[in-house]
Amino acid sequence: MNTEHHWITTPLTADLLRGALDLERTAHGVLPHRLPARARAQYMDGQLAMAESQPSGVRLVFRTRATAIELDALATKRVYVGAPPRPDGVYDLLVDGRLAGRSCVSGGNTLTIDMTAGTAEQQSGPAGTLRFSGLPEGVKDIEIWLPHNETTELLALRTDAPVEPAPDRGRKVWLHHGSSISHGSDAASPTTTWPALAATRAGVELINLGMGGSALLDPFTARALRDTPADLISLKIGINVVNADLMRLRAFVPAVHGFLDTIRDGHPATPLLVVSPLLCPIHEDTPGPSAPDISALSSGQLRFCATGDPAERAHGKLTLGVIRDALARIVRQRAAEDPNLYYLDGRDLYGEADAAELPLPDGLHPDAATHRRIGERFTQLVFRADGPFTERPFTERPFTDRPFTDSSLTDRSLTDSDLTDGGLTGGSLTDHGREDRSA
C-alpha cells in the first residue's frame, strides 16, 4: 500500500454501488451480482453464473474531497484455449461525470475455458490494487466503473479524505436486458459499452442486465426485472435463443408473452421497449447452434459459425429473421391493450450497411467502434424528443410495431454534434416502412 497518504478505509456497502442487484459477502470482501440470490439459486449454468457476476454497468459512486484513491480487487480473468490472450479488464474513473482516468488491476484468478471440449478450470491468484492520484482538490463526485467483462470481488476502498454516498440526482432509471452485445462483448471499457454510452448521452441511470449467452427468456430473469424499480425498460431478445438453439417457434412465442407478462406484473405502465436482434449474417437465415470455427482456432483466431440447417425453419427452427417477425407480431398484438409497449427492429441499430463498414470481427460480437455506433443510434431513436422513452400524453403513440428508421442514419454514423446530453438535436422519423428483410 502507498504510505505517502493518510489513508481512510471505507466499508464497501450497497449504498456506494449502483447497477448491482445484490452484494454478496465473500471470504475476501464483497462480490456484486446482477441477479438476486433467489434467481441464482434457480439455475445450474456456469455461463450465466459467470456472466451475471461480471459487473457490466456496476460502479462505485461516492462524494469526497480525496485527491488519491486505492481499490483492492480480486478479478477472475478468462483464458480461452487456442485463442489469443485477452487484455486485462479496464476500470474507468469519472470525476463529476467526466472521464478522468483508466487503469487495470494485475493478478487475479484465472478461468481457463476450452470451447471445443466444453470444460472450464479455475486457478486461484493474488488480489491487486487500483490507484488513482492527483485528483482535483475540493468536493467532487467520483464514479469507478468496474470491468464489464471480469468477475470482480471488491476487497478494500481507501481514500485520503472521508467518503460519503453521492446524492440522488433525480435521474430516471433505465433497466436493460440483453445478450453479450448488451453486456459489452468487445467494447474498449465499461463506460463504452453501447448501453453505457446511450445512458450517458441520455442522462439516465443505467442498470444493465445484459448477460453474455444468457438472454434466454428465463422466468427468474423476468422476475428480477419485475422487482427492480425502473422508469424505463428495454429488452433485446433473440440472438442467444438462436445461437443456443434453445427452443423452436412453438415455445418461443409463449415464452416471450410470459416474460412480458411477468415484467408487467411489477411495471404495469412503465415504457417497455422490445428490441429485435441486430444484423448477424451467420444467423439471419441459418439456425443455431453457434460453434467456434475450428479452422480459425487452429490459426489462433476466435470466430463463430452457424451449424444449423436452413431447411429446418420449416419445422420451427429459429433464425434471426423468424424471431424478428415473431416479435413484431407479439408487440402488435399486445399493443392494442398496452399503450406503453414499443418495438424497435435491431437492424436500425446495426444493419447491412453497417456490417459492410464495420463487420463483426468474430461473426457474433461488435467491436469498440460498433458499440459506439449502436449507442449513438439507440440514443437518437429511443431517447429523442418523440421517442418511446420520452414522457407524452397517455393516448399519444408515435412508436408502434412498424419497422422505423431515421433517414439521417442510413449512410453514416452520428457525430457528437448530432447529440446533446438530452438526446436528439435535429432529424426525424419517417412514416414509411422499408424493404422486407425477414426470412
Side-chain angles (χ1 to χ4, degrees):
M1 187 197 314
N2 190 331
T3 57
E4 295 179 0
H5 300 274
H6 175 68
W7 293 108
I8 299 170
T9 300
T10 300
L12 290 158
T13 52
D15 59 353
L16 298 181
L17 277 170
R18 295 183 185 173
L21 299 191
D22 191 21
L23 192 60
E24 177 189 1
R25 293 284 170 185
T26 69
H28 306 287
V30 295
L31 176 62
H33 287 279
R34 295 185 296 132
L35 284 176
R38 182 182 178 189
R40 302 197 305 273
Q42 294 183 348
Y43 61 81
M44 296 180 291
D45 179 8
Q47 172 65 32
L48 177 53
M50 177 178 68
E52 71 82 27
S53 67
Q54 293 173 346
S56 182
V58 178
R59 59 267 187 208
L60 282 164
V61 182
F62 52 88
R63 178 164 285 183
T64 184
R65 292 180 176 272
T67 60
I69 299 169
E70 289 190 345
L71 178 67
D72 294 342
L74 177 63
T76 297
K77 306 185 179 187
R78 289 172 290 160
V79 174
Y80 288 94
V81 174
R86 296 179 59 86
D88 286 342
V90 174
Y91 296 73
D92 281 346
L93 171 70
L94 272 61
V95 176
D96 291 331
R98 295 183 178 275
L99 184 66
R102 184 169 281 166
S103 190
C104 303
V105 169
S106 61
N109 304 324
T110 301
L111 181 65
T112 302
I113 301 171
D114 188 330
M115 290 185 293
T116 57
T119 59
E121 181 178 352
Q122 182 159 321
Q123 182 175 356
S124 297
T129 299
L130 179 76
R131 295 183 178 89
F132 293 111
S133 59
L135 305 183
E137 301 282 348
V139 175
K140 51 197 163 290
D141 289 337
I142 297 292
E143 299 177 41
I144 302 175
W145 287 62
L146 306 181
H148 60 285
N149 53 5
E150 282 184 356
T151 300
T152 303
E153 293 183 62
L154 305 175
L155 311 188
L157 172 65
R158 293 181 295 275
T159 54
D160 61 356
V163 161
E164 63 183 40
D168 184 352
R169 290 179 285 182
R171 291 181 169 182
K172 289 184 177 181
V173 174
W174 170 32
L175 176 62
H176 176 71
H177 171 57
S179 67
S180 58
I181 298 171
S182 298
H183 187 144
S185 56
D186 295 323
S189 76
T191 60
T192 59
T193 68
W194 79 256
L197 288 167
T200 298
R201 288 178 174 270
V204 297
E205 292 285 346
L206 173 66
I207 300 176
N208 186 6
L209 301 190
M211 292 177 280
S214 304
L216 297 172
L217 300 172
D218 290 311
F220 51 77
T221 301
R223 289 190 288 271
L225 292 161
R226 176 197 65 190
D227 296 338
T228 301
D231 302 294
L232 314 162
I233 302 173
S234 55
L235 311 171
K236 198 167 115 9
I237 300 171
I239 182 62
N240 287 161
V241 177
V242 171
N243 65 21
D245 194 25
L246 188 69
M247 61 183 74
R248 298 200 176 197
L249 186 60
R250 167 61 181 83
F252 176 74
V253 171
V256 173
H257 277 294
F259 203 83
L260 294 173
D261 285 344
T262 298
I263 294 170
R264 279 299 188 221
D265 286 342
H267 300 278
T270 302
L272 174 55
L273 175 67
V274 175
V275 185
S276 69
L278 310 180
L279 185 82
C280 181
I282 66 172
H283 280 306
E284 288 299 313
D285 302 304
T286 303
S290 303
D293 184 329
I294 302 302
S295 62
L297 275 178
S298 66
S299 61
Q301 297 178 321
L302 179 59
R303 287 191 60 82
F304 294 91
C305 58
T307 64
D309 181 357
E312 289 195 87
R313 287 179 297 173
H315 305 291
K317 277 266 197 170
L318 296 174
T319 65
L320 299 188
V322 170
I323 279 182
R324 290 191 196 100
D325 285 347
L327 290 175
R329 286 195 301 270
I330 290 167
V331 172
R332 181 171 61 247
Q333 173 187 344
R334 297 178 67 100
E337 297 179 353
D338 187 346
N340 294 307
L341 180 66
Y342 307 93
Y343 173 78
L344 172 62
D345 190 312
R347 293 168 298 180
D348 285 329
L349 302 175
Y350 179 85
E352 291 179 6
D354 304 301
E357 180 186 352
L358 296 168
L360 305 175
D362 65 2
L364 282 178
H365 302 107
D367 60 13
T370 309
H371 270 277
R372 177 178 175 82
R373 179 167 298 184
I374 295 168
E376 291 170 340
R377 293 263 177 88
F378 191 91
T379 306
Q380 187 170 29
L381 288 170
V382 177
F383 286 103
R384 61 188 298 153
D386 60 349
F389 282 179
T390 303
E391 292 182 4
R392 62 178 61 84
F394 183 78
T395 57
E396 192 176 339
R397 188 179 168 77
F399 274 47
T400 69
D401 62 288
R402 183 191 74 247
F404 59 84
T405 186
D406 187 324
S407 58
S408 68
L409 301 181
T410 303
D411 298 314
R412 66 183 182 92
S413 178
L414 303 183
T415 64
D416 289 339
S417 62
D418 291 315
L419 300 165
T420 67
D421 288 342
L424 175 67
T425 57
S428 62
L429 291 175
T430 60
D431 290 328
H432 62 274
R434 51 183 185 172
E435 72 275 13
D436 181 9
R437 295 174 293 178
S438 302

